[in-house]
Amino acid sequence: MSAGRPSEGAGCINWWGFSPARDLISAGPARHEGEVNVLLVGSGDPRHVLKTLSGLKDEDILNVWLFENSMEVVARQMLLLYVALTPQERMGLNEKTELFLEVFGNSVIRSQTAETLKRAASQLLLHVSDIPGSDAHPCLNASLLKFKERDELAGIFKSWMGGSSSDAPVSISKAWDYRVRQHLGTRYDSKKGCFDWDLTMKLHEKGCSVINKHQYVRWRESGLAFELREGVYQISNPSLLSSRVFNQRGDRVALRGYWGDIVSSPYLAFGIETQDESLLKTQNGHHMKTAQDISFANVQELVQSLSRRQECHETHQSSTEEEEHAASTLEHSMSVNDLMRLKGLSVNFLPLDSLQKMPEKEKFAHFYHIVHFSASCVHRLGPNIRQITTPDAVLIVELAKYILDLTKEQEAAFAERVCGLCLEAGFLPLSGAKTDDIHALFQARQDK
């Protein structure tokens, strides 16, 4: 214990991914056209959904199917989509971008954000508690989830609202510090030196020099990644708390705490790549903008693209009913059906056993055009995936480049393992595609 536990740095739950957002339908040798079915396995956040959507043509249809390892991540995916889909007349573009990043990457949030999160949780609770009907929001389709899974989601949303649990509230600041101590061991007393080493000798060496030292060290110390407004960041972000089961003297005990990444950072998702060259300018060898600045610019652009695909949707509530409803609820309360509906986009949440069950269902036979696996879910990649993909399907696998606790040898071994699993599953390395060391691309093998 005193030497620390390096393997614990990435955590056991994916609150965000270990790679930048990608336009998935443009990842192969040729862009997919028309209607495309995409399966995301363990992505942890909606970055790929937002990025892919931003590149759609008017006539394109994108159907996304999300599989996660836990309902706690499903709940957070729903929350982030809820924020992103908030109509612009209800929340300005800058405010929405700030809110999204604060909820996405901060262990502690401002009081205004905490209130907005509670209101969102109350509406998501109503959404998953009702049996979704024909008018269910297409970007938050929970109809495929089992009743017990929807019950679990309801419990999670209630806990975010506060006052529904007999347990004492968890201080995420203490939980964060516990993880840092556990990870560093005897190096804890010189933790700033450890943080600086990980930044300069690992992240910067891997091409992430835009990540600012001050911001990275602040996040490593406290979990505060995005300080976008003046204010006090001191309320625990409930969407980053989860339970983890430990064995204690033969008994299985679930402990609430922060069990996500404490090393790689949430800057990877939106903050290390941009097409705006002005955000990458340097002066005297130092970046003039930071990963926080780039994250803000990228997320703002992505949420703005949602408004461009917005469909008109009339609610069934009369104006008088709306006024009475507004008067009896918290300010700006907004049901899921009030969210933007986007032309040609659906997001569907899959049950926890769906990777095993989908090959048995006729509906999913040769169904997916694109499948994306996160690094944390590679172990779930097997021959059953080939049964649910189209003959020319593209398989995209996140590699371990940004999992900092791995050595170069371990990172290379991971890439080899990915290749072996894909070959066994019936996929071959994709030729003619844009390749990098962040994702590995494969295409379904053409059986003769």
Side-chain angles (χ1 to χ4, degrees):
M1 177 69 180
S2 62
R5 296 182 182 177
S7 62
E8 283 284 317
C12 64
I13 188 165
N14 269 27
W15 296 129
W16 46 75
F18 293 101
S19 60
R22 286 284 182 266
D23 178 354
L24 299 178
I25 66 173
S26 298
R31 184 183 184 277
H32 284 75
E33 303 285 345
E35 185 168 3
V36 183
N37 295 318
V38 177
L39 173 63
L40 291 174
V41 181
S43 60
D45 62 60
R47 68 194 187 284
H48 299 314
V49 177
L50 298 177
K51 183 70 173 179
T52 305
L53 176 67
S54 70
L56 291 185
K57 298 177 181 177
D58 287 344
E59 63 275 15
D60 288 336
I61 297 174
L62 176 65
N63 303 312
V64 179
W65 307 76
L66 293 180
F67 170 87
E68 297 291 354
N69 279 321
S70 75
M71 298 315 297
E72 289 153 326
V73 179
V74 170
R76 210 170 112 88
Q77 287 264 29
M78 287 186 169
L79 172 64
L80 291 169
L81 285 170
Y82 179 99
V83 172
L85 292 167
T86 301
Q88 204 147 317
E89 59 269 20
R90 303 294 291 267
M91 186 182 294
L93 186 58
N94 283 353
E95 183 184 358
K96 187 196 295 190
T97 304
E98 291 167 352
L99 176 66
F100 183 97
L101 287 172
E102 195 172 329
V103 172
F104 172 71
N106 287 1
S107 64
V108 285
I109 54 181
R110 297 170 299 131
S111 58
Q112 302 96 311
T113 302
E115 288 303 314
T116 304
L117 195 155
K118 286 180 181 179
R119 291 195 292 270
S122 70
Q123 297 303 323
L124 290 168
L125 169 61
L126 292 174
H127 176 65
V128 300
S129 297
D130 294 334
I131 298 175
S134 59
D135 200 39
H137 198 288
C139 294
L140 288 165
N141 179 21
S143 64
L144 296 176
L145 298 177
K146 298 177 180 179
F147 284 107
K148 65 177 182 179
E149 292 170 337
R150 299 223 307 267
D151 286 344
E152 188 176 345
L153 278 177
I156 292 167
F157 294 135
K158 284 180 183 177
S159 72
W160 292 359
M161 294 163 63
S164 62
S165 174
S166 59
D167 298 328
V170 176
S171 166
I172 202 167
S173 297
K174 291 181 179 178
W176 187 279
D177 185 65
Y178 167 79
R179 287 286 312 288
V180 175
R181 287 178 181 272
Q182 184 187 47
H183 179 248
L184 295 180
T186 53
R187 300 179 296 155
Y188 181 83
D189 291 336
S190 56
K191 59 183 179 181
K192 287 193 176 180
C194 296
F195 301 159
D196 186 50
W197 175 270
D198 284 341
L199 178 65
T200 58
M201 302 305 294
K202 294 182 180 180
L203 280 171
H204 285 182
E205 287 293 315
K206 292 175 182 287
C208 303
S209 58
V210 74
I211 297 180
N212 174 275
K213 177 180 177 181
H214 168 74
Q215 292 174 354
Y216 179 74
V217 169
R218 180 189 64 198
W219 174 75
R220 286 290 300 267
E221 284 190 309
S222 65
L224 180 61
F226 302 103
E227 195 167 8
L228 296 156
R229 286 202 176 193
E230 290 186 4
V232 181
Y233 293 79
Q234 62 181 15
I235 299 175
S236 293
N237 181 352
S239 76
L240 288 177
L241 291 169
S242 62
S243 296
R244 183 176 179 180
V245 177
F246 291 87
N247 283 319
Q248 292 185 355
R249 298 178 182 177
D251 295 325
R252 291 169 62 82
V253 179
L255 296 179
R256 294 281 293 168
Y258 177 82
W259 305 112
D261 167 40
I262 59 169
V263 173
S264 295
S265 87
Y267 299 124
L268 297 173
F270 302 106
I272 63 172
E273 293 183 352
T274 176
Q275 294 181 336
D276 185 350
E277 293 297 325
S278 68
L279 294 172
L280 298 174
K281 285 183 178 178
T282 59
Q283 191 172 49
N284 299 324
H286 297 283
H287 281 275
M288 299 174 67
K289 299 293 184 179
T290 67
Q292 175 174 291
D293 298 324
I294 294 174
S295 296
F296 184 89
N298 281 336
V299 171
Q300 185 176 63
E301 183 180 352
L302 292 175
V303 297
Q304 193 168 25
S305 71
L306 303 184
S307 299
R308 293 194 289 268
R309 290 191 74 90
Q310 183 176 4
E311 290 182 338
C312 293
H313 174 68
E314 294 188 10
T315 61
H316 299 293
Q317 216 172 23
S318 70
S319 58
T320 304
E321 288 174 333
E322 286 179 340
E323 289 169 6
E324 291 174 353
H325 182 69
S328 63
T329 58
L330 290 167
E331 185 184 4
H332 304 310
S333 185
M334 181 177 54
S335 76
V336 166
N337 270 339
D338 292 327
L339 300 175
M340 289 188 288
R341 292 179 178 234
L342 308 182
K343 179 185 175 184
L345 176 68
S346 70
V347 179
N348 311 278
F349 295 89
L350 292 168
L352 298 180
D353 63 353
S354 55
L355 287 188
Q356 292 78 33
K357 295 292 181 65
M358 274 192 292
E360 302 169 5
K361 298 181 179 179
E362 186 177 347
K363 173 185 177 178
F364 293 106
H366 309 299
F367 184 73
Y368 294 108
H369 303 89
I370 300 166
V371 178
H372 180 284
F373 271 80
S374 70
S376 63
C377 284
V378 163
H379 62 285
R380 292 181 174 272
L381 213 170
N384 58 328
I385 299 300
R386 187 66 187 87
Q387 297 173 246
I388 59 174
T389 55
T390 60
D392 60 345
V394 173
L395 174 61
I396 307 168
V397 185
E398 181 183 67
L399 298 178
K401 178 177 180 176
Y402 296 120
I403 300 179
L404 301 191
D405 288 332
L406 298 184
T407 64
K408 289 182 179 180
E409 292 75 20
Q410 289 171 323
E411 185 185 328
F414 183 88
E416 286 183 17
R417 182 187 175 213
V418 164
C419 190
L421 288 170
C422 291
L423 290 173
E424 289 177 16
F427 294 85
L428 297 173
L430 186 57
S431 59
K434 299 175 183 176
T435 58
D436 55 33
D437 54 357
I438 302 173
H439 289 94
L441 275 65
F442 300 84
Q443 192 156 32
R445 185 176 59 222
Q446 301 297 315
D447 296 320
K448 295 180 181 180

